[in-house]
Amino acid sequence: FFFKQKTAYEISACLVGSEMCIRDRACITDLEMPKMKGVEFMNHLREIQKVKRIEFPIVVCTGHVDEKTVQDLLRAGFDDFLTKPVLPEQLDRFFTRICEEVRRA
């Protein structure tokens, strides 16, 4: 994702190009990736969170927006979802909100 203006958060790590990013203690991942599915990545990340005793929201980005898929993803352990295509402004607002929620927690 490309931002034309400076955002309230910064990229702290990037994995597999732009497919997965951790930004200011929040993570976004695609549901469908070439080497690992988003649910598998989320499960690995949750294990790391347990071991390191850290918490941050994990958000899935998908074009599959039917109610059943969204409910299945939330039940699987994702904290929230974004619907593709995501505009840079939407992503900026989303992460600003997520980061504010994390800071309040």
Side-chain angles (χ1 to χ4, degrees):
F1 296 100
F2 175 75
F3 293 96
K4 292 182 180 177
Q5 44 189 290
K6 189 170 181 165
T7 58
Y9 46 83
E10 294 185 22
I11 297 172
S12 59
C14 215
L15 308 169
V16 192
S18 63
E19 293 167 330
M20 299 177 253
C21 300
I22 296 175
R23 296 177 179 261
D24 194 38
R25 296 176 36 205
C27 175
I28 183 170
T29 182
D30 202 331
L31 182 60
E32 299 293 330
M33 298 175 288
K35 298 195 184 239
M36 182 184 294
K37 301 298 179 202
V39 174
E40 183 182 0
F41 172 70
M42 186 258 321
N43 288 332
H44 286 296
L45 200 51
R46 292 290 187 212
E47 288 300 316
I48 292 168
Q49 287 178 318
K50 286 179 190 174
V51 169
K52 294 193 174 209
R53 297 181 183 181
I54 57 174
E55 290 185 35
F56 51 83
I58 303 174
V59 179
V60 64
C61 186
T62 180
H64 306 283
V65 293
D66 62 88
E67 185 66 29
K68 182 184 180 322
T69 301
V70 170
Q71 291 306 314
D72 288 347
L73 292 171
L74 295 175
R75 272 194 294 278
F78 286 103
D79 295 295
D80 209 338
F81 71 97
L82 286 170
T83 304
K84 290 183 190 177
V86 180
L87 298 174
E89 299 82 19
Q90 292 171 307
L91 193 61
D92 187 43
R93 283 193 305 273
F94 183 81
F95 269 112
T96 298
R97 179 180 60 83
I98 290 289
C99 290
E100 286 172 2
E101 289 173 9
V102 167
R103 285 186 189 107
R104 283 193 297 256

